[in-house]
């Protein structure tokens, strides 16, 4: 697939590299001023192509957004017509919310003409995005949203890059809940100082 990454920081960069390793073509959507992180990412991965956000979105089958909540409105305006795309929102609003919205995914649904928008790749650290394997076993990922098509693609991509399972949290009403799972990881890894090399795994009896 062609995948556009909007926001090439730690999470976006890690997923760009993981998706490319799995055989996908990566387009980095950037504003006019290309950030130092984006420049470094493309220098280290010359197969990636930097394009303006609307052009990267036009080239993509899937658009992954890994930016900050306060940039959601400007990114939505820059995307253009994304009515036939799938958007995966990796952002969390646990510390800061997009103005006027409870969370970033709700904002994207209101601010774009894309209906296949889901939240995924938001519940763990970027290190686990690039390498989700612990002692030979893949950790778990989670997704939420009303779009079955979007969740199927998110689950497929997560398994392609090494996650063992991608559990369905439910519809759009679960966006806040899945962000709370992200907050649990942040609390343990950072606030409780357990370190970033920890992960969530569902065990069934």
């Amino acid at each position: 697939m062609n995948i556009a990454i909007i926001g090439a920081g730690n999470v976006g960069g890690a997923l760009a590299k993981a998706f490319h390793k799995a055989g996908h073509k990566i387009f980095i959507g950037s504003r006019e001023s290309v950030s130092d992180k984006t420049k470094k990412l493309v220098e280290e991965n010359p197969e990636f192509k930097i394009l303006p956000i609307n052009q990267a979105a036009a080239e993509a089958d899937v658009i992954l957004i890994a930016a900050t909540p306060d940039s959601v409105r400007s990114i939505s305006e820059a995307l253009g017509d994304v009515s036939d795309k799938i958007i995966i929102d990796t952002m969390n609003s646990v510390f800061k919310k997009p103005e006027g919205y409870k969370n970033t995914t709700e904002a994207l649904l209101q601010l774009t003409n894309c209906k296949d928008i889901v939240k995924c790749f938001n519940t763990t650290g970027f290190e686990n995005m690039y390498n989700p394997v612990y002692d030979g076993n893949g950790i778990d990922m989670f997704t939420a949203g009303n779009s079955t098509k979007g969740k199927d693609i998110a689950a497929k991509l997560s398994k392609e890059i090494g996650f063992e399972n991608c559990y369905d949290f439910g519809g759009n009403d679960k966006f806040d809940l899945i962000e709370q799972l992200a907050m649990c990881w942040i609390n343990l890894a950072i606030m409780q100082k357990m370190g970033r090399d920890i992960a969530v795994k569902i065990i069934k009896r």
Side-chain angles (χ1 to χ4, degrees):
M1 286 186 289
N2 290 349
I3 301 177
I5 306 289
I6 314 298
N10 290 335
V11 171
L15 288 170
K17 290 184 283 188
F19 293 150
H20 179 260
K21 188 177 179 180
H24 300 289
K25 189 171 183 179
I26 303 300
F27 297 90
I28 306 295
S30 178
R31 304 178 191 276
E32 289 183 13
S33 177
V34 180
S35 71
D36 290 339
K37 278 190 174 182
T38 299
K39 289 177 182 176
K40 183 178 179 182
L41 178 66
V42 176
E43 285 172 2
E44 293 174 348
N45 302 271
E47 304 89 351
F48 298 176
K49 188 173 183 181
I50 299 179
L51 293 173
I53 289 175
N54 65 326
Q55 291 183 29
E59 292 284 350
D61 305 299
V62 176
I63 301 163
L64 184 135
I65 303 179
T68 56
D70 56 2
S71 66
V72 169
R73 184 175 294 275
S74 61
I75 288 172
S76 297
E77 292 170 353
L79 285 172
D81 181 7
V82 288
S83 57
D84 62 342
K85 309 295 182 180
I86 292 168
I87 293 179
I88 299 175
D89 174 20
T90 74
M91 299 175 283
N92 286 306
S93 308
V94 291
F95 296 116
K96 188 173 186 179
K97 299 182 185 300
E99 186 176 354
Y101 299 95
K102 292 192 299 180
N103 56 67
T104 53
T105 330
E106 178 188 276
L108 288 168
L109 281 163
Q110 292 293 318
L111 295 171
T112 71
N113 64 348
C114 180
K115 300 305 178 189
D116 290 309
I117 301 179
V118 298
K119 189 178 285 291
C120 192
F121 301 109
N122 70 300
T123 54
T124 192
F126 70 89
E127 300 91 343
N128 288 333
M129 304 290 183
Y130 184 67
N131 180 16
V133 178
Y134 281 62
D135 295 326
N137 297 307
I139 61 176
D140 291 333
M141 183 45 64
F142 307 87
T143 185
N146 286 352
S147 172
T148 300
K149 180 181 178 182
K151 288 191 288 189
D152 287 347
I153 290 296
K156 179 177 183 294
L157 287 171
S158 69
K159 291 174 183 178
E160 285 180 351
I161 65 174
F163 289 91
E164 184 171 348
N165 301 293
C166 184
Y167 289 100
D168 185 350
F169 252 48
N172 293 355
D173 61 321
K174 298 299 190 294
F175 291 149
D176 289 338
L177 181 62
I178 200 172
E179 289 198 354
Q180 288 304 309
L181 180 58
M183 188 63 206
C184 290
W185 185 91
I186 293 167
N187 176 59
L188 291 173
I190 299 170
M191 298 175 183
Q192 304 304 321
K193 303 185 186 303
M194 289 182 66
R196 300 180 65 90
D197 287 326
I198 64 170
V200 174
K201 179 75 177 173
I202 303 297
I203 298 175
K204 297 180 180 179
R205 189 178 298 280

